Amino acid sequence: MTTVQENPLVEGLERLPVHPTTLVIFGATGDLSHRKLLPALYNLAHEGALPERFNLLGLARSQMSDDEYRETARDSIMRFSRTRPDENVLNSLLERIRYLHGSFDDPSVYHQLSEIADELDEEAGMPFNRIFYLATAPAFFETIAALLGNHSLDRHDGADVRIVVEKPFGHDLESAQHLNQALRRVFEERQIYRIDHYLGKETVQNILVMRFANGIFEPLWNRGFVDYLQITAAEDIGIGSRAGYYDRSGALRDIVQNHLMQLLTLLCMEPPVSFDADEVRNEKVKVLHAIRPPSPDEVNEIAVRAQYGPGVAEGKEVPGYLEEEGVAPGSTTETYAALRLEVDNWRWAGVPVYLRAGKRLARRLTEIAVTLKPVPHLAFQQGGSLGVQPNQLVLTVQPNEGVSLKLVAKIPGARMRVRPVNMEFLYGTSFLSQSPEAYERLILDTMRGDATLFARDDEVEAAWALIDPILKVWSQQPGPVPTYRAGSAGPPEAEQILLPGHEWRKL
């Protein structure tokens, strides 16, 4: 077994042993591969984090030679890498790339795949771990898994085999359960890595560190001190060219069911006994099980949906959702979704958790805000003050990664006047380095066999069980849905789910 090379450039990537690996990317010519996977592999190579013995096999329907695919990979890395590519490192990585063309449902392709993988092992004189990365449309997940099993590619003597599945993981609870069953017919659960790139973000991982490595927070992290929690994922862009996918999905499926539910579980989970993958995921699942799914009568009280209408973005007039190319006339698909949930356990009972996600909002922002209860009594006058506001801890996931704590401080002068101030920690200024891309961390964890940052089958199904009742009610309600102006903070209807004294943070 080889060890990761020491390199002072590595920031946030633990130097743990990585077994020699053959990575197979299904959908190797797709957008995800070009923009994320290939650049991530280059940056891992640049930082000495790839195993010394590593092979990449791209598989897609486009017909091209190994050299032609290597040039395609070079172009993608040159264009999308977060670091300026070094020719020596890049050339060394490209030498390890091979390409196989064919249809994902063609059994002969898997026979060729098996032969190439065996050939690579024989050349090295040892069995390599094998990772099958499904960077394809979800419709192919079950087919690929079944054909891998039919050709005995789900096992490899002397080495590990893993399969990586991209979101969306199902369209509803029933389809998620069906996909889980299809994957488990071929692979064991420990071999299945359901990837959610949000969990690879440094700031998301820092939620665990902030909570469990700093004693200052634990005494306050409960219903006795926290007034409410708020998680926001706002985008300033529209659907672009994704109408074909988005109009069948919507904000609730696309963002809330996976990304925001992941953030909620990390925010509310109990301390795990250890940071073993199953121990962490056990605690996350407990949070989801503690949230009671809404009844049909409750949905309109705790959930709001809306679509963006025409407006202004970046100083330009932009169309509304129904005017976007590819959107079905009269579509009721939501581009904005807001929910109020409650984690009904000893720690969080009575504390509302507000989730919201939307497109064409005022700005791009993903953040978690923990609002503490207001002080019970003010012993001094507030004349001339800017107001006493509750303390807030805000974790910004993107774009400006960091943590801030809102306090109340005295304004200098002879009078007792106060105003809110922020204490801030920013990744860029504190560490003077660029955070790794989420896919770098997640690909590396897959090669190491660390599933901590990946969703387990019961976790996926528990999240869908909470969202399904809302989807069913919305599907039965006729349109049109409420609208909000593009470039605004969202629909006024979102205020209706807030409890008295609570407010949405400004966008």
Side-chain angles (χ1 to χ4, degrees):
M1 184 178 293
T2 60
T3 57
V4 178
Q5 303 168 12
E6 284 292 327
N7 190 319
L9 295 175
V10 177
E11 295 288 345
L13 297 175
E14 294 86 344
R15 300 177 177 87
L16 296 178
V18 183
H19 190 81
T21 300
T22 295
L23 173 63
V24 181
I25 299 178
F26 288 82
T29 58
D31 196 58
L32 176 62
S33 295
H34 287 311
R35 290 178 175 270
K36 297 296 183 181
L37 304 185
L38 290 169
L41 289 168
Y42 166 77
N43 281 298
L44 289 173
H46 181 263
E47 295 171 346
L50 281 184
E52 291 182 8
R53 295 185 176 187
F54 173 79
N55 303 304
L56 174 61
L57 176 58
L59 196 160
R61 287 173 290 185
S62 301
Q63 188 164 354
M64 63 179 79
S65 66
D66 289 348
D67 287 339
E68 288 172 331
Y69 184 70
R70 288 174 184 136
E71 285 306 306
T72 299
R74 177 189 294 275
D75 292 342
S76 298
I77 292 167
M78 295 296 291
R79 183 177 178 186
F80 296 113
S81 171
R82 67 177 174 86
T83 59
R84 184 176 181 178
D86 176 280
E87 278 296 321
N88 291 331
V89 176
L90 180 55
N91 289 335
S92 177
L93 175 63
L94 294 176
E95 288 174 359
R96 311 181 206 180
I97 294 179
R98 297 181 66 169
Y99 181 78
L100 174 62
H101 70 87
S103 177
F104 302 140
D105 57 1
D106 181 357
S108 68
V109 170
Y110 296 81
H111 179 70
Q112 296 177 63
L113 171 58
S114 180
E115 288 185 336
I116 293 173
D118 288 342
E119 178 185 320
L120 293 171
D121 286 355
E122 291 172 5
E123 289 177 359
M126 64 181 302
F128 279 31
N129 284 351
R130 294 174 182 176
I131 297 174
F132 301 107
Y133 198 121
L134 275 53
T136 69
F140 292 110
F141 292 169
E142 185 175 347
T143 298
I144 293 172
L147 286 170
L148 288 172
N150 290 345
H151 290 78
S152 301
L153 286 164
D154 56 317
R155 298 289 185 273
H156 189 33
D157 290 341
D160 292 326
V161 177
R162 303 176 187 118
I163 184 169
V164 181
V165 184
E166 276 280 347
K167 68 174 275 289
F169 197 86
H171 189 72
D172 53 21
L173 177 58
E174 183 180 359
S175 60
Q177 290 172 331
H178 176 82
L179 181 54
N180 274 334
Q181 293 165 3
L183 291 174
R184 290 196 301 262
R185 279 196 292 268
V186 181
F187 297 92
E188 297 177 21
E189 177 59 30
R190 64 177 179 81
Q191 295 177 279
I192 304 169
Y193 286 65
R194 299 169 188 82
I195 197 166
D196 184 335
H197 73 273
Y198 257 51
L199 290 182
K201 293 180 180 292
E202 286 292 323
T203 328
V204 174
Q205 298 168 54
N206 198 48
I207 296 172
L208 296 176
V209 176
M210 185 203 67
R211 284 196 56 196
F212 303 133
N214 296 284
I216 188 175
F217 295 116
E218 180 57 27
L220 309 178
W221 216 259
N222 57 65
R223 68 186 189 280
F225 293 92
V226 176
D227 195 10
Y228 61 99
L229 306 171
Q230 190 174 136
I231 304 175
T232 298
E235 296 179 89
D236 56 2
I237 60 173
I239 60 168
S241 60
R242 299 176 68 217
Y245 162 75
Y246 199 89
D247 204 39
R248 296 192 303 271
S249 176
L252 195 62
R253 288 185 174 96
D254 190 43
I255 300 295
V256 178
Q257 184 275 332
N258 39 73
H259 298 332
L260 297 197
M261 285 297 183
Q262 291 286 351
L263 297 182
L264 186 157
T265 57
L266 295 176
L267 190 65
C268 296
M269 64 184 276
E270 293 298 318
V273 175
S274 68
F275 275 90
D276 169 80
D278 277 332
E279 293 294 343
V280 171
R281 296 189 293 183
N282 287 344
E283 297 301 335
K284 291 170 65 183
V285 171
K286 289 179 185 177
V287 173
L288 296 173
H289 286 166
I291 302 173
R292 183 175 59 83
S295 67
D297 293 338
E298 294 173 322
V299 167
N300 290 332
E301 297 177 11
I302 61 97
V304 168
R305 62 173 173 166
Q307 290 176 346
Y308 64 82
V312 177
E314 298 182 346
K316 298 179 181 179
E317 295 284 341
V318 295
Y321 179 72
L322 293 179
E323 287 76 53
E324 297 278 17
E325 184 178 352
V327 173
S331 170
T332 58
T333 298
E334 76 285 354
T335 63
Y336 178 99
L339 312 179
R340 184 184 76 239
L341 302 175
E342 183 178 321
V343 181
D344 194 14
N345 61 17
W346 188 271
R347 182 185 291 267
W348 295 112
V351 178
V353 183
Y354 299 106
L355 311 176
R356 61 174 170 171
K359 288 187 173 293
R360 280 284 187 231
L361 295 172
R363 63 181 174 129
R364 175 174 174 257
L365 176 70
T366 301
E367 70 170 21
I368 298 169
V370 180
T371 302
L372 301 182
K373 292 184 176 180
V375 293
H377 174 68
L378 287 177
F380 47 82
Q381 298 297 316
Q382 297 185 59
S385 298
L386 297 180
V388 174
Q389 299 178 8
N391 301 123
Q392 269 190 338
L393 179 68
V394 179
L395 297 93
T396 305
V397 177
Q398 60 185 18
N400 300 314
E401 301 174 328
V403 181
S404 68
L405 179 63
K406 181 192 288 185
L407 305 172
V408 176
K410 180 183 177 296
I411 300 173
R415 299 171 61 193
M416 181 59 76
R417 299 178 302 155
V418 300
R419 73 176 179 88
V421 296
N422 284 331
M423 296 177 60
E424 291 189 327
F425 146 66
L426 298 175
Y427 272 84
T429 55
S430 295
F431 295 112
L432 300 178
S433 64
Q434 190 178 30
S435 296
E437 287 284 342
Y439 278 97
E440 295 172 35
R441 172 61 188 265
L442 296 173
I443 290 173
L444 184 59
D445 279 1
T446 305
M447 290 192 289
R448 288 196 303 232
D450 183 352
T452 305
L453 299 179
F454 297 81
R456 202 169 57 191
D457 54 354
D458 54 346
E459 183 180 346
V460 170
E461 293 178 14
W464 273 120
L466 298 175
I467 298 301
D468 248 20
I470 302 172
L471 291 170
K472 288 177 180 177
V473 169
W474 284 356
S475 69
Q476 296 166 3
Q477 293 176 341
V481 300
T483 60
Y484 58 96
R485 182 173 51 83
S488 70
E493 288 83 359
E495 303 293 326
Q496 298 171 5
I497 68 172
L498 297 175
L499 297 183
H502 297 172
E503 61 183 13
W504 293 112
R505 283 176 51 82
K506 293 182 179 179
L507 291 176

